Structure formats: C-alpha cells, structure tokens
Amino acid sequence: MNQLHFDLSSFLCYSKSSKIVAITPLICAFFLLTFLTSLTSLAQGNSTSKEIPFKSNELKYSNSDSSILQLKNAVELYRDNRDTVNLILSLNELSSMYAHLLDYGNSYDGYWEALILADQINNNQFKAKIYQELGWLYSFYHRDEEALKYFNLGLDVNKELYRQKIIDASYIISDYFSLINFYRVNGDYNTASKYLDSCYQLQKEIGNPPMNYVVAEDGYIDGMQGDFESAFEKLAVSKDFFEKNDRSYLIVIHTMLGNVFRNMGDLSKSAAEYNQALELSKQFQSHSNYKLMSHEALASIYSMTNDFPRAYQHSKEVNEINAEIFGPNSKNNKHLFAINDQYRLQKEKEKELIKEQHIAELENEERINTLKLWLLGVVLVSLVVYGYLLVRNIRRKHVLEKSALAERRQMERQKSSEILELKNKELTTTALQLIEKDEFIDKLKHSLSDDKGLVDVNSLKRMIKSVQGTPGSNWKEFEARFTAINQSFYENLQKQYPELSQTDLKICALVKLNFSSKEMASLLGISIESVHTSRYRLRKKFSIDRTENLTEFIAQF
C-alpha cells in the first residue's frame, strides 16, 4: 500500500504554444496522488462503516463511465446514511476520476465539499490530503501562489501528525513529491532536486527502498539536465515495475521517455515513445492530459521533419482537446477564469462570520483589558503609596530604635565609666593606704631604734614584721584588684607593644591611676630615680615625645 501511495508523476513539455501542455506535468501527479492516498486512508481504517470497494487502476480506467457511476452511487449512499468519513473518501475518489478525464470543474467542487466535511469532523488527515489536491487544481490554472499555499498547508498538517506519530513518513514524502512537480514544472530544477533528496532521505530513514514513482521523477530530472545514461536506467526500472503492477501508468513513463529522447535530439525514438503513449491512452481512460502532451509533441516533431500531414493531424487533435477543456463552451471555463463555487463561497462566509465574531470578541476583550489596566493602575498606585508609608514608618521606627539604643549604650558606657572610675579610686585609696601603713611602720621602727633602753626592741620588731607587708606582697594585692577592674588593659597593651616588660606593665598600670613617682616607688619598692628611668623608657617604646602626656596616652588602653 505504501508503494501505491506514491502513484505520482509529471513532466515538463517543450512546447509553449498550448496552455494545457504547460500544466500537464502537475495534472498527472495530481491524478495518481488523489486515488492512491484515498486507498491508503481506507487501508489504515479511517472508515467506520461498510465501504464500496474501488477497482484497480487498470479496471477503473478501462471503463471510466462505470467507475464514475459507481462512485456517484457511493456518494449518495453515504450522504443518505450520514457516513461522513466514507462520504469524504468517495468524494475524493470521484473528484480524482473527474480530474483524470479533465473535468476540472466537477473535480474542484467535489474537493471543496470534501474539505468542508473534513473541517466539520476536524479530521486533519483528510484535510491535509484535500489541501494537497486543491494545490494541484490551483496549479492547473496557473494560480501558483494559491497552489503553494495549499501544498504547504498540507505539508504543515502532516508534519504535525507525523510528530505526534499518528501517520508515517510516507505522507511527508507525498507532500514533498507535490512540491517536486510544482517547482519542476516552473523550471526550478534545483529546488525540485532538493525535495527529491528529502524523499530519498525519508525513505532511507524508514528502511524502505526508493519508490518507483520517485525513481521515475529522478530519472526524468536527470534527462532534463543532460544525464541521459542515468535517466534511461532509472526510467527502465520504473517501466518494468509498472508493466507488472499498473499498466495505465505506462502512459506517463512513455511520455517521459519521449521528452528525454527529444531533449537528447533523437526525434525518431522520441516520436515512437509518444505514439506508444497514445496507443495506451486508447486502452485506458486515464492521464488524459498526457494524450494532449503527446499530440502536441508529435505535431512539433513531424513539423521539424517536414512530415506536414501528420503534423497537421496532431495539431488538429491538440486544438480540439483544448477547445473541449478550455473553450468558451467548456464546463471548465468558469474555473479557468474565476474559480467560484457554492462550497468555496460557503466556506468564505463561514470565515467572514468567524472573523466578525473574533473582532467582536477582541473589542470586548479590549474593553475588559482596559478596565483591568485601570484596576491594575489603581492597585499599583495603592501599593506604591502603602509601600512608601510602610517604608517611611519602618525607617522612622528604625531611627527611633537606633537612637534609643545609642542612648542606652551611652548610658551604659557612662555608667561603666563611672563604676570603673569609682573602682579605680577605691583601688588608688587602698594602694595609698598600704603605702601610708608602710611609711608609718618605717617611722615607728626608727623611733624604736632611737630609744633602745626603754622598750624590748626585738619584741617590737617581731610584732612590726608580722603586720608589715613587703613591696612584693603589696603589689600582688594591688595587681589582683587592678586586673579585676581593668580586665583587658594588659592584653591591649601587649597586643600593640609586645616588647613591654613586667616592670613596664606595672608602671603603665600606676600611670593609668595617676600615681605620683613617689607613690609608685613606695608601692613597687624601688627608688624614685628608677621610676623616672622607667617612665623615660616607656616614652621611647611608645614613640612619644616629652610634649605628649603619658597619662592620657596610657588611659586609652
């Protein structure tokens, strides 16, 4: 079935004298695509009711009147039974038959009715197929912009279905194939070759050999580009295949061969191929456009070889066919000049109604959006004002808290300073009392020494010694109290001036308490000169000159 799905082919004719010849390559590919994609849909189970079986290509085209009658009966049956799926399939097949017989008017109407039905049941597979077929019909009337529009619509829908794994790659290849024919007929062989490469790539990805329809097209492009050896080889392979599977398609193959021989310059063989195509056209009522192509080509060849009676006869056939299809009395004429039928008009009315509804919805939505914007603006302004007041209140509260904290810290520092000062005063008083005690005891000792006869000197000395403290014990008592009050004093000094000695530290402690040199000497048990020397050394270690106050310098630690 995948092989039959690509019953496509088209050719580019040399003659420019006839309108129909220029479009025949597209028409043939369209005929085959329509019928075989319908068969593919049936094979994949798109129908839900009993179907009228379609004949093979050879049987169908051998008696086209019978096939058309059968298809018309099928259309009426499915329309009466409201079987939309099979109605669409029957309309597609009937339209394909009309197109094969060059009855483009009925073909066009059938496709538009099928498209409306497919749109109603929202069947994207049917819509994609009909888009492609409408693309072919528009291309027959040289409406290339519309043709490309529908070709690409079908391709886009099938790509999405393929992405969703609803269809296989053969549908994408079918769309590429349509574009190959379109660009080739318009003389753009490079673009046609790119889509041909895409066909081969997809077939390779799905593991299938190249389709004979694809091979035939590839061979034809080679022949048109001068690679005759490759062209004849590929067309021969395709010819053998269609001899066994679909002899009606040999009309296309022989016409292809005739064009390639003509491009090569072998007019005798070219004429033989065209005549063979015409013989097959008598047997099969299909690819009628190729009958016209062959007559046109033979008229040109016989004219070139001076066989004017034959040239005249074939020219006459061309004129009669053209008059039948596109003449003033032709039923196709209205579609040639202005394709305008009830189904398209109905679709356009539906689109216009939808457009008006959409515009009304947009206007209503715009009003709602405007109201939303106003409400949003009010909310934003309210939030900004609230945020400003909140931030201002928080900052004010923070400033007050910071001020209160600073005041508390100031009070605590002041209180701590006052307590420290009080304790240092108490320490100073205690130290002075120790000094006075030692001085009193020294005086008492001197007095007792002067009056040895009156008292027991040894007994008194022992008594004095028991109450008299040594300079070392006095300092330890002082230092213990000082350290308890000024806990980090020594640590801060040693951190900044690690070279200070123990004596230096003692002098610093006494300087901090504003002791005089005499009081320092008495408490430490050294001379006043030693105190002065220690103070001088301290200045040097602290790197301060005599103008700076040593007491104020040490007080900062």
Side-chain angles (χ1 to χ4, degrees):
M1 182 59 67
N2 285 338
Q3 185 74 4
L4 290 175
H5 184 67
F6 288 95
D7 193 354
L8 302 169
S9 181
S10 58
F11 310 101
L12 183 63
C13 180
Y14 291 93
S15 176
K16 306 295 182 180
S17 62
S18 175
K19 307 184 274 189
I20 187 63
V21 174
I23 63 174
T24 49
L26 295 170
I27 298 172
C28 178
F30 160 73
F31 294 157
L32 298 168
L33 174 66
T34 302
F35 170 64
L36 292 166
T37 50
S38 296
L39 290 180
T40 301
S41 299
L42 287 171
Q44 293 181 346
N46 284 330
S47 177
T48 58
S49 63
K50 185 176 180 181
E51 301 147 1
I52 295 178
F54 296 118
K55 302 175 183 178
S56 68
N57 280 0
E58 290 191 24
L59 292 176
K60 182 174 63 174
Y61 298 139
S62 297
N63 191 347
S64 59
D65 291 337
S66 175
S67 298
I68 289 176
L69 179 60
Q70 181 185 23
L71 287 168
K72 284 183 176 180
N73 291 335
V75 168
E76 294 304 319
L77 173 64
Y78 293 134
R79 185 177 281 122
D80 292 340
N81 293 337
R82 299 183 181 276
D83 187 347
T84 306
V85 171
N86 278 314
L87 177 57
I88 293 172
L89 290 171
S90 300
L91 284 169
N92 282 348
E93 186 64 18
L94 180 59
S95 297
S96 172
M97 285 294 301
Y98 282 134
H100 272 277
L101 300 173
L102 307 182
D103 187 353
Y104 302 136
N106 283 324
S107 176
Y108 182 85
D109 290 342
Y111 283 131
W112 268 103
E113 182 179 359
L115 180 59
I116 292 172
L117 292 171
D119 191 46
Q120 289 174 355
I121 64 174
N122 196 27
N123 189 309
N124 287 329
Q125 286 179 263
F126 283 153
K127 287 164 70 174
K129 181 173 62 175
I130 299 169
Y131 285 149
Q132 187 184 69
E133 292 159 352
L134 284 171
W136 287 115
L137 283 178
Y138 276 113
S139 66
F140 300 158
Y141 298 106
H142 298 289
R143 294 179 63 173
D144 292 343
E145 185 177 346
E146 289 291 321
L148 272 179
K149 169 188 171 183
Y150 283 103
F151 283 144
N152 287 318
L153 275 174
L155 177 60
D156 291 341
V157 173
N158 277 335
K159 281 184 175 180
E160 179 61 23
L161 293 173
Y162 179 66
R163 187 186 66 80
Q164 297 174 8
K165 299 182 179 179
I166 296 175
I167 61 173
D168 59 37
S170 63
Y171 288 83
I172 306 297
I173 298 173
S174 173
D175 290 314
Y176 285 153
F177 206 95
S178 302
L179 291 166
I180 290 171
N181 284 273
F182 176 83
Y183 284 111
R184 190 191 61 185
V185 166
N186 284 280
D188 190 349
Y189 290 106
N190 290 331
T191 305
S193 296
K194 290 178 182 178
Y195 282 106
L196 191 61
D197 292 340
S198 299
C199 287
Y200 279 131
Q201 182 63 32
L202 277 177
Q203 288 171 338
K204 184 178 179 181
E205 289 178 4
I206 61 179
N208 289 342
M211 304 294 180
N212 284 281
Y213 305 99
V214 176
V215 174
E217 287 293 327
D218 193 7
Y220 181 74
I221 291 177
D222 288 343
M224 292 300 100
Q225 293 179 334
D227 189 353
F228 302 114
E229 182 178 354
S230 175
F232 290 128
E233 179 182 350
K234 292 173 182 176
L235 287 171
V237 171
S238 299
K239 181 181 177 181
D240 290 341
F241 172 80
F242 293 114
E243 281 280 3
K244 300 174 183 178
N245 295 278
D246 182 8
R247 293 188 68 250
S248 66
Y249 197 71
L250 290 175
I251 299 171
V252 176
I253 298 299
H254 283 295
T255 311
M256 279 185 168
L257 288 168
N259 286 341
V260 174
F261 277 121
R262 187 179 179 188
N263 192 40
M264 190 172 65
D266 192 338
L267 299 182
S268 176
K269 289 183 179 180
S270 176
E273 294 293 340
Y274 290 134
N275 280 313
Q276 184 64 36
L278 289 175
E279 287 298 320
L280 288 167
S281 295
K282 296 176 182 177
Q283 183 180 354
F284 303 106
Q285 293 174 315
S286 65
H287 314 296
S288 300
N289 52 310
Y290 282 90
K291 181 179 179 181
L292 178 62
M293 177 189 288
S294 297
H295 281 304
E296 178 73 21
L298 286 170
S300 177
I301 290 174
Y302 289 138
S303 178
M304 293 169 62
T305 57
N306 298 323
D307 190 348
F308 298 111
R310 287 187 181 181
Y312 172 77
Q313 185 61 37
H314 287 291
S315 295
K316 182 180 178 182
E317 292 286 344
V318 169
N319 292 332
E320 289 176 357
I321 295 174
N322 274 330
E324 180 183 350
I325 299 174
F326 297 111
N329 298 321
S330 171
K331 55 188 174 183
N332 290 305
N333 193 50
K334 62 175 183 178
H335 294 276
L336 175 63
F337 295 105
I339 301 176
N340 186 14
D341 58 84
Q342 58 178 329
Y343 301 109
R344 184 172 62 83
L345 291 175
Q346 177 184 343
K347 193 66 179 178
E348 290 178 354
K349 287 179 181 178
E350 290 177 0
K351 289 183 178 179
E352 188 65 27
L353 180 60
I354 293 172
K355 183 178 179 181
E356 291 176 359
Q357 292 175 348
H358 184 60
I359 291 173
E361 290 174 358
L362 288 176
E363 291 176 350
N364 187 45
E365 185 178 349
E366 185 177 358
R367 288 193 293 269
I368 294 174
N369 288 337
T370 302
L371 180 60
K372 286 181 179 179
L373 287 174
W374 276 103
L375 291 175
L376 181 61
V378 172
V379 171
L380 288 176
V381 171
S382 300
L383 287 175
V384 170
V385 173
Y386 174 77
Y388 171 75
L389 295 175
L390 180 62
V391 170
R392 190 178 70 171
N393 186 49
I394 291 173
R395 292 182 63 182
R396 181 181 177 186
K397 184 178 180 181
H398 177 70
V399 169
L400 293 175
E401 289 178 351
K402 187 176 180 180
S403 177
L405 181 62
E407 289 179 1
R408 284 198 299 272
R409 287 179 178 176
Q410 180 65 25
M411 291 177 64
E412 289 174 358
R413 284 196 296 269
Q414 185 177 354
K415 185 177 180 180
S416 298
S417 178
E418 290 175 355
I419 293 172
L420 180 62
E421 185 179 356
L422 180 60
K423 289 185 176 181
N424 283 332
K425 286 183 179 179
E426 291 176 354
L427 180 59
T428 302
T429 302
T430 302
L432 292 175
Q433 287 175 353
L434 289 174
I435 293 171
E436 289 176 357
K437 183 189 75 172
D438 288 341
E439 289 178 351
F440 171 75
I441 292 174
D442 285 339
K443 288 181 181 179
L444 182 60
K445 286 173 63 178
H446 287 299
S447 297
L448 291 175
S449 298
D450 293 339
D451 195 6
K452 296 180 180 179
L454 297 178
V455 294
D456 185 353
V457 176
N458 292 329
S459 297
L460 287 174
K461 285 183 176 181
R462 284 195 296 274
M463 291 173 63
I464 291 169
K465 188 175 182 180
S466 64
V467 297
Q468 184 181 19
T470 63
S473 64
N474 289 340
W475 172 254
K476 287 181 180 180
E477 182 180 355
F478 169 82
E479 188 175 39
R481 293 185 180 184
F482 178 82
T483 303
I485 298 171
N486 304 279
Q487 296 178 359
S488 60
F489 178 73
Y490 288 138
E491 182 181 348
N492 293 337
L493 269 175
Q494 287 179 315
K495 186 183 293 184
Q496 192 166 350
Y497 300 99
E499 69 277 6
L500 295 177
S501 64
Q502 290 297 321
T503 301
D504 294 335
L505 293 173
K506 292 177 182 180
I507 295 296
C508 286
L510 295 174
V511 170
K512 180 177 178 63
L513 297 178
N514 206 18
F515 275 49
S516 65
S517 297
K518 180 180 178 182
E519 291 168 343
M520 292 182 192
S522 176
L523 185 60
L524 297 174
I526 58 177
S527 64
I528 295 176
E529 287 76 10
S530 297
V531 172
H532 289 163
T533 302
S534 296
R535 290 172 68 97
Y536 174 74
R537 289 174 179 171
L538 278 175
R539 284 182 175 274
K540 290 186 67 177
K541 290 180 180 180
F542 291 150
S543 300
I544 60 176
D545 54 32
R546 297 182 64 83
T547 59
E548 294 187 59
N549 191 309
L550 182 61
T551 303
E552 292 179 358
F553 179 80
I554 293 175
Q556 65 184 330
F557 292 98

